[in-house]
Amino acid sequence: MECPYCEEELLDHDYYGLGIPGRNDFQKVGDIFKCENEECAAYQQTFYTRGNSDELHEGYPC
């Protein structure tokens, strides 16, 4: 997954979903990524995928 601003590889930071992680009823919804390129305009900004697709959305999932 590449940063849409600088095209550097994004760091796979976390994931999110419905329910409580570690329980049988937890459903993963997507992944959370961060840009770690200090020279990028989006440095340490958060991006996420939804529905386990490769489409990036800016911000933190809510």
Side-chain angles (χ1 to χ4, degrees):
M1 190 73 47
E2 291 181 352
C3 176
Y5 291 89
C6 67
E7 298 181 357
E8 290 288 322
E9 191 71 22
L10 291 171
L11 175 68
D12 188 1
H13 180 69
D14 206 352
Y15 61 91
Y16 67 101
L18 303 171
I20 299 172
R23 292 187 47 170
N24 291 339
D25 61 346
F26 178 76
Q27 294 177 334
K28 181 180 170 185
V29 174
D31 293 294
I32 300 170
F33 299 91
K34 280 194 167 196
C35 180
E36 292 295 317
N37 178 3
E38 293 181 13
E39 297 182 15
C40 178
Y43 175 61
Q44 292 201 341
Q45 283 187 2
T46 305
F47 301 91
Y48 66 97
T49 61
R50 185 178 301 164
N52 295 323
S53 73
D54 287 339
E55 185 179 346
L56 275 179
H57 302 274
E58 203 165 338
Y60 208 79
C62 45

